[in-house]
Amino acid sequence: PITEAIVAASVAAAPAARCIVDLGAGTGHQLAAVLGALPEAAGIATDAAPAALKRAVRAHARIAGVGCDVWTALPLAGASAD
């Protein structure tokens, strides 16, 4: 039920999204589900754990991984994500 709610909220908030960022993506399960509903979007999984990022980028062909700590500045350009 949580994944479905995340997908529904994401599609409602940004139906034409081109880039979705998942902070603390873990396995990438939810990001993969969102990308499944937004076929034109790419995803960026962020996580501080290298093992989590490895798993997240395998969750969907359109997920890229970025290792970072969300308590510091994110390594993303301003307005680069929806």
Side-chain angles (χ1 to χ4, degrees), residues 3-80:
T3 299
E4 290 83 8
I6 291 169
V7 169
S10 298
V11 170
R18 304 290 287 158
C19 183
I20 305 293
V21 178
D22 187 349
L23 303 176
T27 65
H29 174 77
Q30 282 85 13
L31 180 55
V34 170
L35 293 178
L38 296 170
E40 298 300 316
I44 300 173
T46 67
D47 208 292
L53 283 176
K54 276 183 162 180
R55 198 154 174 204
V57 298
R58 289 188 213 129
H60 196 285
R62 288 182 277 130
I63 294 177
V66 175
C68 66
D69 181 348
V70 299
W71 297 109
T72 61
L74 294 176
L76 300 171
S80 62

